[in-house]
Amino acid sequence: MALLFISNDDSPVEWQDALTSFDPDLDFRTWPDLGTASDIEIALVWKQPPGSLADLPRLKLIQSLGAGADHILTDPQLPGGVPIARLVDSNLTQQMVEFAVLAVLSRHRRMKQLQLAQTQSLWNVIQPIPTHHSRVGMLGFGEIGREIGNALTRLGFPVTAWTRTAREDSNIVCQSGENGLVAVLHSSDILICLLPFTEETKNILNADTFATLPKGAYVINMARGGHLAESDLLSAIDSGHLSGAWLDVFNEEPLPSDHLFWKHPKVIVTPHLAGLTVASSAAEQVIKNLRLVRSGKAPNNAVNLKHGY
Ligand code: GLV
């Protein structure tokens, strides 16, 4: 029985080494060299070509190579009835925490203005604003959001979070529903998008959202490019309502070289690297999931198709 690896962004050699260190008998195959299709029990995928999972008669699990599964669900020929699982990896979570803290502190201490001042040899002392005046709002509060919220709270930032369904947390004030969203936006000097990408969250960062944020607010998108209405963001920054944005994800990746974001003085662009999957730390859970589905059980971190994540 075999595993089929499909990704242009992850290293098959690293994954094969990492997986076979947990299961030396694993028959690792890399798409499109499937061999006998009926051998394949598990597909380990990142942005699989549409239809590539359609003719695998013994497929028991589609395992995402990332924390999100939206890249899998867009395939119109996705085989029905095969469970899909996301990765929940402490290494990736830690990277996401570091990235969120970096972006929040960078805005809070006005790094972009300081760098600009340096290019002009200007000794520009910017008085720090008190941490408790930089209110952070998070859209999304899953495994990653909780850790980010805790890290920012420890640094002294007041944090609120918005989630699809009502949630309780001992550290962070959580809101849900339409009114909850407005409440979180009203009190977000820095807004971080961490949501799963679904039909409901598509373009959630739009002109109305920005208008609800306080003047001078800053937007960090480290979820998916499809969450953001790009031209609405540029209008909100250029009108002076928003102070800027840090974007790690884009509608089109790599971001086209003529895109306005690249050279915008108030936008920081990073190439979708806030949290990258590390084979050596994530392989064990893939093998665990393979064992679970082989014994007829549901995999860990299964995607709920109704919710889309
Ligand atoms: C990356 O974006 C992921 O889903 O892990």
Side-chain angles (χ1 to χ4, degrees):
M1 287 294 170
L3 174 145
L4 177 63
F5 178 89
I6 314 180
S7 169
N8 283 330
D9 296 344
D10 302 84
S11 154
V13 176
E14 278 176 27
W15 271 98
Q16 180 163 16
D17 285 354
L19 289 166
T20 49
S21 76
F22 290 102
D23 183 351
D25 297 328
L26 187 75
D27 178 356
F28 185 97
R29 302 186 188 170
T30 305
W31 195 83
D33 299 325
L34 313 191
T36 308
S38 58
D39 293 346
I40 292 165
E41 276 184 311
I42 168 171
L44 183 57
V45 306
W46 178 253
K47 297 185 181 168
Q48 79 278 9
S52 55
L53 303 175
D55 297 312
L56 305 174
R58 301 249 171 81
L59 191 65
K60 293 189 175 65
L61 172 67
I62 302 169
Q63 172 71 56
S64 174
L65 276 159
D70 51 299
H71 60 97
I72 296 174
L73 302 173
T74 49
D75 184 345
Q77 287 165 267
L78 204 58
V82 179
I84 301 171
R86 301 180 304 110
L87 279 184
V88 177
D89 178 44
S90 57
N91 201 322
L92 187 142
T93 302
Q94 172 65 18
Q95 294 174 49
M96 294 289 274
V97 170
E98 288 170 3
F99 191 90
V101 169
L102 173 71
V104 167
L105 285 177
S106 157
R107 162 60 191 157
H108 176 60
R109 296 303 298 261
R110 307 297 193 260
M111 234 8 246
K112 189 88 174 152
Q113 281 109 301
L114 292 171
Q115 278 169 332
L116 190 65
Q118 182 177 351
T119 63
Q120 298 161 338
S121 309
L122 278 178
W123 190 261
N124 184 13
V125 178
I126 300 176
Q127 190 67 32
I129 55 168
T131 314
H132 64 272
H133 287 175
S134 273
R135 299 161 301 171
V136 178
M138 299 197 303
L139 303 184
F141 195 65
E143 297 87 359
I144 294 171
R146 187 172 317 110
E147 294 303 321
I148 291 176
N150 289 341
L152 292 171
T153 304
R154 274 198 298 276
L155 286 170
F157 292 96
V159 179
T160 55
W162 180 74
T163 53
R164 191 179 57 82
T165 49
R167 201 137 339 148
E168 295 278 323
D169 187 85
S170 47
N171 265 339
I172 313 281
V173 179
C174 293
Q175 306 264 13
S176 59
E178 284 283 306
N179 294 341
L181 179 59
V182 171
V184 169
L185 295 175
H186 270 310
S187 62
S188 296
D189 300 304
I190 300 176
L191 182 72
I192 310 179
C193 180
L194 294 161
L195 287 165
F197 183 62
T198 66
E199 267 313 305
E200 280 156 44
T201 64
K202 189 173 176 175
N203 281 339
I204 192 165
L205 301 174
N206 59 37
D208 289 343
T209 306
F210 301 143
T212 313
L213 290 169
K215 187 166 164 47
Y218 188 82
V219 172
I220 299 166
N221 189 13
M222 47 191 289
R224 288 290 182 260
H227 286 126
L228 173 68
E230 295 185 345
S231 54
D232 290 4
L233 178 75
L234 286 169
S235 307
I237 294 176
D238 293 340
S239 74
H241 182 64
L242 295 183
S243 57
W246 186 322
L247 307 174
D248 186 55
V249 285
F250 304 91
N251 270 312
E252 189 180 342
E253 294 180 1
L255 185 65
S257 55
D258 59 351
H259 198 291
L260 291 176
F261 285 153
W262 280 116
K263 299 234 162 72
H264 197 291
K266 294 186 175 167
V267 176
I268 296 181
V269 168
T270 48
H272 198 149
L273 48 60
L276 298 179
T277 304
V278 179
S280 56
S281 76
E284 190 174 5
Q285 67 179 286
V286 174
I287 297 293
K288 256 193 204 150
N289 265 354
L290 177 57
R291 292 188 179 140
L292 283 170
V293 294
R294 268 187 186 150
S295 62
K297 301 201 178 101
N300 289 323
N301 303 309
V303 171
N304 178 327
L305 289 179
K306 205 167 118 235
H307 299 152
Y309 61 94

